[in-house]
Amino acid sequence: MDRRTFIKGSAALVGAASLPRKVYAAAEVPAKIRFGTAVGLSGPFIDGSKSTTISQYDLWAKRTNDAGGIMLSKYNKKVPVEIVYYDGRFDNNETIKLTEKLILDDKVEMMLAPWGTQWNIVSAPITNKYEYPVVYTTAGDSILYTKANDWPYAFWSLSQPVESVQPLIDWIVQLKKDGKIKGRVAAINIGIELGVEMAKAFADLAPKAGLELVFNKSYPPDVQDLQPLLREVMATNPDAFFSFSYPPDTFLVTGQAQQLGFSPDIFYVCIGGVFPGYRDAFGAEKVEGILAYGGMDPAAPGFDDYAKAMKEMYNQDVEAGALQVYAFLQMVQWAIETVGEIDRPKIRDELAKGAKGTLWGDITWKNQLNANPWAVGQWQGGKMVGVFPSSKQNAKPPIFPKPKWTS
Amino acid sequence: MFEVVLNGLILGGMYGLIALGLNLQYGIARMLNLSYGEFFTAGAFASFFAFTLYRINPLLGLVVSIPAAFVANWLIYRILLLPLVRRAPDRDALDANIVLCTFGLLFVFQGFEQIYWGGNVRAYYFLSFPIHFFGASLPANRLLAFASAVVLAAILIVVLRKTRFGTALRAIAIDPIAAGLSGINVLNLSALAFALGGAMVAISGALVSTFIPISASIGILYTLKALIVIIVGGPGRMAGAIAAGLLLGVCEQVGGYLVDPGLTLAFNYAILILVLLIKPTGLFARG
């Protein structure tokens, strides 16, 4: 670019920027719809952030733009999308600051959630204050039971702690009534965030339902060996085992349980249990019947196309947690298309109505929380399928007992 | 209790194994290499891909990854660190520069790891059958890591104590200037020690990945563990590194068993603080 064009261009930009916003919006089609996000791009949690959230934002933007963009019926035109990333660095202050910057300085049209419970929760008051509708897709915390109602512009898509363990407890109670199980349950948990939250909910609810909680201990985040803990668990002879774990230890606990020949009738792992890499690490046979946090329905509309796109862009199989993030991008897109323009209060109201036929099933909200998220999935024949809540469309009946491992 | 201690020993052997390489780099070559763990990650991923894609035995893969890590670390020393060594006015300034440089390197490596290997947690299982041992059962892969730690440390000790080359290495560790004056090529030997350390960590990465799930960002965790082990054991002391590793492993497991497994990290740091207070040169350091 020579200097003259640069000056011309700059002048035009300055001119355009100084036009009153309303006039611009009414008269001209926006060149693109920018979605801002202060998701962590570097730092200790980049693995999860990348595989669950960033990969999906990029995939969605690509697929949407390949199809011409988002249809804005007000202008009768498809408008391409762009994701504006700032590195929130998994830091509360940074995330808050950058979220505000995206809204006030960059004046992005829409906002997307960062990754991780903590950073979702610190962003919500900001996006709510500026009335940006956002579906927060990676937050599980009992604080939301009381706080979510304060933020009408924030929606929370994941299964929260109580809803995540209640169906499992109910199921075990029923199995106990049928005389198929003694009802001795054991739990271990990683000492952070959702691990603690789930364990708390479980330790609170299981005894109330008449189950015998025979073991309940936590372990630290960078654990390298869970065998001693597992031996203690084995000594209590439980028939259901719950590991409220995170990705590295979810793998570790499964591998070590198999080495020790600890094969209870019910074996549950928390985050990471739905990863295709989890199945690949042990083989489809050895994960058969394992229950995990999350879940999905491989018969959901658009699943096959999505799976193909994942394969093409990342050479990866579908991961339920990432698919969930994608499903809510879909839902936001539909809400914008129904409204037909970037009118955020209207988009918020449209989102609040829920949606039918997303990749993650039908969505309705209750007190801003997802009223029927997939809570529990299970490996069945090498596939991750949603089993709880059983009221959800296409929920498969859970396999019981889990086939024994031969060690 | 016997099983708990045994588990602690095995875990400690793994810590010792991971620390051996950094002990060469920090204890001998005097380079506090913060990007150390990234070569651990590289070794781990190399054997993961070799095993899952081509069914290459992780032990066989070492034939390639050891020389590769050796050369890579040698180049890092010659190209990146040597200029810092040459222009540093004194030891303290050099230490600060090395820390900053390798800290930067850490992020560069992590960036590449993220790009090429993505953010997923991966695992494969190799030699994961149990071996029975006085009534306790131990997985073969962890036992192998333990045995390798002991053997490698033994080899290093013999080389350092009994050979001319080893004596020279010890000399540069104790006093690089005097070593230079007595005709030892300090820079060449330092580069060699640094590269050897890099090769060692690639070995530990490959061995540990047979039983611990890996992801692109685990490196720093192992750098920290290795640092604790070295500080507790005394920089440059190979037997010290193994002993300190064992001590940490046993304390973690016994503490976890007797008190609470959630406190293993606290035990780690409690030992570190105690050592720093009582014998800051390391438990097994001379003098």
Side-chain angles (χ1 to χ4, degrees):
Chain A
M1 185 192 305
D2 63 29
R3 192 172 356 152
R4 195 162 295 170
T5 19
F6 176 70
I7 291 171
K8 267 192 212 158
S10 316
L13 270 180
V14 171
S18 55
L19 278 177
R21 198 105 186 123
K22 277 249 164 72
V23 176
Y24 167 76
E28 281 176 63
V29 191
K32 56 192 170 192
I33 306 173
R34 290 165 309 148
F35 288 76
T37 176
V39 63
L41 301 174
S42 67
F45 301 97
I46 178 67
D47 292 340
S49 167
K50 196 170 173 187
S51 62
T52 306
T53 297
I54 300 168
S55 68
Q56 302 306 303
Y57 290 175
D58 290 343
L59 179 65
W60 172 75
K62 182 177 181 297
R63 290 182 82 197
T64 305
N65 289 338
D66 284 352
I70 293 182
M71 181 69 193
L72 297 184
S73 54
K74 185 172 179 190
Y75 319 99
N76 195 26
K77 193 167 185 294
K78 280 188 169 179
V79 180
V81 300
E82 185 194 16
I83 314 277
V84 182
Y85 286 108
Y86 283 137
D87 184 1
R89 298 205 318 238
F90 309 104
D91 177 281
N92 290 354
N93 290 328
E94 200 69 15
T95 306
I96 292 169
K97 208 170 72 192
L98 292 174
T99 301
E100 225 161 19
K101 178 175 158 52
L102 280 161
I103 295 172
L104 296 178
D105 286 358
D106 297 276
K107 299 191 170 58
V108 293
E109 282 74 29
M110 294 288 290
M111 285 294 289
L112 294 173
W115 176 90
T117 297
Q118 197 179 337
W119 305 289
N120 275 232
I121 290 176
V122 297
S123 301
I126 316 290
T127 53
N128 184 68
K129 179 167 118 193
Y130 297 107
E131 302 189 338
Y132 274 68
V134 176
V135 182
Y136 284 96
T137 41
T138 50
D141 195 310
S142 51
I143 195 177
L144 294 173
Y145 294 128
T146 50
K147 289 298 273 184
N149 268 329
D150 297 352
W151 307 315
Y153 275 79
F155 298 88
W156 306 86
S157 67
L158 280 185
S159 177
Q160 298 304 319
V162 171
E163 288 74 16
S164 304
V165 296
Q166 192 65 59
L168 289 160
I169 292 171
D170 295 344
W171 179 50
I172 299 175
V173 167
Q174 188 57 45
L175 288 169
K176 192 181 164 192
K177 263 190 208 148
D178 299 345
K180 289 180 179 165
I181 205 168
K182 293 186 294 276
R184 292 170 65 82
V185 295
I188 61 172
N189 72 281
I190 186 167
I192 51 168
E193 294 192 337
L194 197 62
V196 176
E197 291 277 333
M198 297 274 285
K200 237 196 294 178
F202 187 77
D204 180 37
L205 296 167
K208 276 188 198 156
L211 300 178
E212 198 185 339
L213 184 62
V214 293
F215 191 89
N216 183 24
K217 271 194 187 174
S218 77
Y219 60 85
D222 74 338
V223 68
Q224 324 269 299
D225 186 6
L226 284 165
Q227 261 197 51
L229 198 60
L230 278 174
R231 283 181 205 278
E232 285 185 65
V233 174
M234 285 169 81
T236 63
N237 195 23
D239 38 29
F241 172 68
F242 293 82
S243 169
F244 300 115
S245 42
Y246 272 41
D249 32 300
T250 293
F251 285 62
L252 190 65
V253 75
T254 312
Q256 297 201 309
Q258 292 179 350
Q259 280 166 0
L260 289 170
F262 173 50
S263 185
D265 288 344
I266 293 172
F267 192 97
Y268 172 93
V269 291
C270 193
I271 301 177
V274 299
F275 291 179
Y278 178 76
R279 174 200 57 205
D280 298 342
F282 303 102
E285 263 169 50
K286 285 215 163 178
V287 296
E288 181 73 2
I290 292 182
L291 298 151
Y293 177 80
M296 60 182 180
D297 168 21
F303 186 93
D304 292 340
D305 289 341
Y306 168 80
K308 211 174 119 209
M310 274 297 281
K311 205 78 201 167
E312 269 169 21
M313 189 148 164
Y314 299 113
N315 192 24
Q316 271 172 20
D317 288 337
V318 176
E319 189 264 290
L323 170 129
Q324 181 263 144
V325 170
Y326 196 96
F328 289 95
L329 290 166
Q330 242 184 341
M331 191 173 164
V332 167
Q333 177 176 355
W334 294 347
I336 295 172
E337 285 177 343
T338 308
V339 170
E341 60 177 319
I342 303 298
D343 180 330
R344 286 181 288 268
K346 280 192 195 157
I347 294 170
R348 186 252 156 222
D349 293 344
E350 190 54 39
L351 273 176
K353 289 180 194 161
K356 280 205 180 308
T358 77
L359 274 170
W360 224 43
D362 297 348
I363 305 296
T364 51
W365 307 102
K366 195 180 164 197
N367 299 328
Q368 302 299 119
L369 304 180
N370 192 346
N372 52 345
W374 282 115
V376 184
Q378 187 177 43
W379 288 103
Q380 299 185 355
K383 276 193 174 159
M384 171 45 60
V385 296
V387 292
F388 293 121
S390 35
S391 59
K392 196 148 164 99
Q393 241 171 342
N394 286 336
K396 294 269 183 299
I399 295 175
F400 176 87
K402 180 186 73 56
K404 287 275 179 240
W405 293 317
T406 44
S407 77
Chain B
M1 194 66 200
F2 169 66
E3 282 208 330
V4 174
V5 174
L6 200 61
N7 261 311
L9 287 175
I10 296 292
L11 182 67
M14 178 191 119
Y15 290 159
L17 175 68
I18 293 164
L20 282 179
L22 188 62
N23 212 356
L24 278 173
Q25 295 192 335
Y26 179 54
I28 307 280
R30 298 221 186 175
M31 297 287 138
L32 185 48
N33 178 11
L34 292 184
S35 66
Y36 177 75
E38 303 317 309
F39 283 91
F40 176 90
T41 319
F45 268 90
S47 43
F48 170 83
F49 282 117
F51 186 75
T52 51
L53 297 181
Y54 309 108
R55 293 277 135 201
I56 294 173
N57 184 317
L59 299 178
L60 210 62
L62 288 176
V63 178
V64 180
S65 59
I66 291 175
F70 183 89
V71 171
N73 276 276
W74 189 81
L75 288 175
I76 286 176
Y77 188 89
R78 297 302 294 197
I79 296 169
L80 284 173
L81 304 182
L82 198 56
L84 299 180
V85 175
R86 288 220 163 101
R87 71 153 197 242
D90 58 45
R91 194 67 234 164
D92 292 340
L94 176 61
D95 279 345
N97 286 343
I98 295 290
V99 165
L100 285 176
C101 176
T102 55
F103 197 47
L105 214 51
L106 158 84
F107 290 109
V108 174
F109 285 140
Q110 260 195 12
F112 278 112
E113 286 158 13
Q114 284 294 340
I115 292 170
Y116 290 109
W117 302 329
N120 295 325
V121 175
R122 298 165 202 262
Y124 65 100
Y125 286 84
F126 174 73
L127 287 182
S128 64
F129 53 86
I131 287 177
H132 298 282
F133 184 78
F134 292 112
S137 70
L138 293 166
N141 41 23
R142 280 184 190 255
L143 218 51
L144 176 69
F146 178 83
S148 313
V150 175
V151 170
L152 285 175
I155 294 175
L156 282 177
I157 290 169
V158 170
V159 170
L160 285 176
R161 300 246 142 246
K162 302 286 177 201
T163 65
R164 210 182 148 75
F165 168 66
T167 313
L169 280 180
R170 279 188 296 142
I172 62 167
I174 294 164
D175 192 338
I177 294 172
L181 291 176
S182 46
I184 295 170
N185 189 335
V186 176
L187 294 181
N188 266 347
L189 270 185
S190 292
L192 208 57
F194 189 85
L196 270 179
M200 296 284 261
V201 75
I203 301 179
S204 64
L207 289 175
V208 169
S209 72
T210 60
F211 53 89
I212 285 205
I214 55 172
S215 70
S217 62
I218 50 168
I220 187 125
L221 177 73
Y222 290 98
T223 308
L224 280 176
K225 271 271 151 66
L227 259 182
I228 297 180
V229 169
I230 290 173
I231 292 167
V232 171
R237 313 289 303 168
M238 296 304 155
I242 296 293
L246 295 180
L247 179 72
L248 276 184
V250 172
C251 283
E252 273 189 19
Q253 296 290 25
V254 172
Y257 179 73
L258 294 179
V259 191
D260 188 280
L263 289 176
T264 51
L265 260 189
F267 292 124
N268 256 319
Y269 287 105
I271 293 176
L272 180 65
I273 290 167
L274 271 180
V275 168
L276 286 177
L277 283 176
I278 297 165
K279 197 153 184 265
T281 49
L283 284 183
F284 302 90
R286 283 240 179 88

